[in-house]
Amino acid sequence: MVYKVYYQESMERNPKREYTQSFYLEADNQADAYAMAQKNTDYNIETVEELSDAALVYEQADPEFKLTTFN
């Protein structure tokens, strides 16, 4: 499954939509995706959303779409 992870780079800044960014990753389930994002980044993870097939096709149409991989 592909998940869209919404995050903010700063842990000190009050959460606001204007500061929210996102990246995509593959995981077996939502809990694994959240844990992977927490472990491999210093970001303030807001939410992790599973992408449906239609949503994934839409997101992949963006030329900047790429899956994030962690070593």
Side-chain angles (χ1 to χ4, degrees):
M1 305 294 312
V2 175
Y3 294 87
K4 187 172 187 177
V5 179
Y6 294 91
Y7 69 93
Q8 292 192 24
E9 289 184 349
S10 174
M11 296 290 249
E12 290 82 35
R13 181 181 275 174
N14 288 334
K16 290 186 180 179
R17 184 175 298 271
E18 302 88 59
Y19 306 134
T20 299
Q21 300 177 50
S22 62
F23 64 89
Y24 307 90
L25 57 84
E26 276 189 291
D28 292 331
N29 57 55
Q30 189 173 9
D32 287 349
Y34 184 86
M36 191 183 313
Q38 283 285 91
K39 177 182 176 190
N40 293 291
T41 67
D42 291 330
Y43 300 147
N44 182 7
I45 305 299
E46 293 180 356
T47 60
V48 177
E49 178 181 291
E50 180 181 339
L51 294 178
S52 67
D53 291 338
L56 180 57
V57 168
Y58 175 81
E59 297 287 347
Q60 287 174 327
D62 183 342
E64 295 185 20
F65 176 88
K66 71 173 189 162
L67 287 175
T68 300
T69 57
F70 302 109
N71 296 328

